[in-house]
Amino acid sequence: MSFLSENVIPGNHGQVFGTNAKTEEELNRVKNAILSVDGIKDIMIDMEIYPKEITVHTSKLVEIKEIEDRVQKVGFHVIPKGLFLL
């Protein structure tokens, strides 16, 4: 594991996560769980694809493990997708 694969760094790229949440209600629960993490600035949900994708932007360095743990508390999972291309 590397620094970039274990953290969401602030910036325009954000981090994309796949999730097992399917309905709008479930995705809102996931979104609210992620928003409860300190440093989360913005969340975008792509409802058009399966599995659903959530892009998380931060205002400071946030550990991916912390996001995963918060989402698991509401009964769902998020899995980080590959790193962004430079």
Side-chain angles (χ1 to χ4, degrees), residues 19-79:
T19 183
N20 64 333
K22 295 178 181 103
T23 67
E24 190 171 336
E25 178 187 341
E26 292 172 345
L27 289 163
N28 280 330
R29 288 175 43 200
V30 169
K31 180 179 179 178
N32 290 333
I34 295 171
L35 285 172
S36 71
V37 175
D38 184 40
I40 301 298
K41 179 172 63 172
D42 182 34
I43 297 174
M44 298 182 318
I45 301 173
D46 188 348
M47 299 286 290
E48 301 299 317
I49 61 172
Y50 182 84
K52 304 296 187 229
E53 286 186 350
I54 298 171
T55 304
V56 177
H57 296 98
T58 62
S59 59
K60 66 179 191 177
L61 191 69
V62 176
E63 289 186 18
I64 288 177
K65 179 81 171 119
E66 186 175 355
I67 294 171
E68 292 172 331
D69 290 345
R70 293 282 175 103
V71 173
Q72 284 180 355
K73 287 181 181 179
V74 296
F76 298 99
H77 297 281
V78 289
I79 300 172

